[in-house]
Amino acid sequence: MAQLPATTRTALGARDACFSWRAAGERVALVPTMGALHEGHLALVETAAQRVDRVIVSIFVNPTQFAPGEDLLRYPRDEDEDLRKLSSVPCDLVYLPSAEEIYPQGAGQMVINLPFLGSDLEGAVRPHFFSGVATLVAKLFLQVMPDIAVFGEKDYQQLLLIKALTRDLHMPIKVVAAPTRREVDGLAMSSRNAYLSNYDRALAPKLYERMCEAKTDLEAGLPVSQVRRRLRARLLQDGFSKIDYVAVRNPNNLQAKGPGALMGEARLLCAVRLGETRLIDNIAINIEADLGPKT
Ligand code: AMP
């Protein structure tokens, strides 16, 4: 069996490692996660390792991004299994902070808000979520000080928010996006898929299937309003219990697209419920013929 990666539970340990690598001329990536690792997370580590010399993975189930009544307590946690999985990829250090290490003054004492990007879509349904994410990620970035950080397109709004956060706080950290890893049936990998009953797990891939149909319709020139309506109706027919949103947005700033036919690039973003479990997914829409000349 491959050797388990080195670990640290302190910010100082993570920063010391990062600084000594950087002092030796090596470049360092941070891959923040909440653990319960799957191939999607491991692909982020591989993406990081292709770009830099050293990779630090953080594992922290961040209490401030869960609202009361959400799944903080039952969120899957298995540190030994996560370390075993990380031994199969080029991970140099795993940072496993306690809540006190991240929130020494107590959670909620200092909060970063991005009101525009953080209150729409996921933020409209989960008002705590993005301030929790932004605060944690800013702290991790300042604790570790990596050269780059890798995030998944699976959480597309989160990816854009973190890009905006680093830009606005003048952090010299490059945020790199990695594509969504899917199961063979198309379901986007997620730690929360473990919550799905067998019945719901069989239905879950329909989300991606229906989104791909909508992509085809949008790229064929059907109006956005019609495609969104049709997608909602099909998802409800399929048996998804609730639709939080079906949105077609500008891929750079998530502003809404008009109701008519699309031009250029867009992002289709969806969140649905299957019993108690929320599934989110997003895909690129690309109407190449209408992209116009490059500037
Ligand atoms: P999480 O542990 O769910 O907070 O996710 C940690 C990181 O992994 C985030 O950057 C996610 O976007 C990314 N991630 C989660 N699922 C996937 C996936 N299926 N494909 C690619 N990246 C993912």
Side-chain angles (χ1 to χ4, degrees):
M1 199 186 88
Q3 218 187 338
L4 294 180
T7 60
T8 179
R9 294 190 188 272
T10 66
L12 203 60
R15 180 182 283 192
D16 275 354
C18 184
F19 274 34
S20 57
W21 287 323
R22 291 181 69 171
E26 294 183 310
R27 281 165 46 82
V28 183
L30 176 67
V31 180
T33 79
M34 295 210 301
L37 301 180
H38 50 67
E39 279 175 39
H41 296 113
L42 301 183
L44 302 189
V45 179
E46 300 278 7
T47 298
Q50 281 161 12
R51 290 174 175 255
V52 297
D53 308 290
R54 299 284 183 172
V55 181
I56 302 176
V57 174
S58 64
I59 298 179
F60 180 63
V61 181
N62 178 27
T64 63
Q65 69 191 63
F66 291 78
E70 285 189 344
D71 55 342
L72 173 62
L73 293 178
R74 71 173 184 138
Y75 195 85
R77 292 167 172 87
D78 190 342
E79 190 178 298
D80 291 342
E81 182 61 11
D82 286 345
L83 292 178
R84 201 188 56 73
K85 287 182 178 154
L86 287 171
S87 69
S88 68
V89 289
C91 168
D92 296 281
L93 181 67
V94 186
Y95 175 35
L96 299 154
S98 63
E100 293 71 37
E101 197 69 12
I102 299 290
Y103 299 110
Q105 314 291 330
Q109 294 304 306
M110 194 282 295
V111 178
I112 296 181
N113 269 317
L114 288 90
F116 178 68
L117 261 175
S119 58
D120 199 11
L121 301 172
E122 279 301 289
V125 184
R126 305 178 67 196
H128 285 64
F129 181 65
F130 283 121
S131 60
V133 169
T135 306
L136 170 69
V137 171
K139 282 168 169 278
L140 289 174
F141 281 4
L142 291 168
Q143 287 182 338
V144 180
M145 295 282 209
D147 297 281
I148 75 168
V150 184
F151 288 85
E153 285 184 348
K154 159 75 170 46
D155 301 283
Y156 194 81
Q157 188 177 4
Q158 171 175 282
L159 170 69
L160 292 193
L161 181 114
I162 288 162
K163 284 186 174 176
L165 171 84
T166 48
R167 218 173 28 238
D168 273 18
L169 290 179
H170 314 283
M171 291 181 169
I173 297 171
K174 183 175 169 56
V175 176
V176 172
T180 302
R181 272 293 177 101
R182 297 180 181 280
E183 305 286 356
V184 280
D185 58 16
L187 176 64
M189 290 181 180
S190 164
S191 308
R192 287 189 169 98
N193 291 348
Y195 298 155
L196 294 168
S197 67
N198 287 343
Y199 181 85
D200 288 344
R201 175 62 188 82
L203 177 55
K206 274 275 173 199
L207 172 61
Y208 179 62
E209 191 184 316
R210 296 301 191 196
M211 289 173 69
C212 289
E213 290 170 6
K215 173 180 165 77
T216 305
D217 288 346
L218 289 167
E219 291 179 346
L222 264 62
V224 171
S225 52
Q226 182 187 332
V227 175
R228 286 180 60 208
R229 246 192 338 266
R230 187 185 283 183
L231 177 53
R232 292 183 83 96
R234 283 180 177 163
L235 290 168
L236 290 172
Q237 246 167 32
D238 289 335
F240 292 98
S241 44
K242 183 166 184 268
I243 295 172
D244 283 341
Y245 56 82
V246 161
V248 178
R249 297 293 175 93
N250 179 313
N252 302 314
N253 56 19
L254 292 186
Q255 282 184 0
K257 291 281 188 180
L262 282 180
M263 299 221 302
E265 295 181 341
R267 202 87 193 177
L268 171 63
L269 304 106
C270 295
V272 297
R273 296 191 195 224
L274 207 41
E276 294 292 290
T277 308
R278 279 183 92 237
L279 302 179
I280 65 169
D281 205 344
N282 68 87
I283 53 176
I285 310 294
N286 200 343
I287 303 181
E288 281 182 28
D290 289 320
L291 277 179
K294 279 207 172 107
T295 50

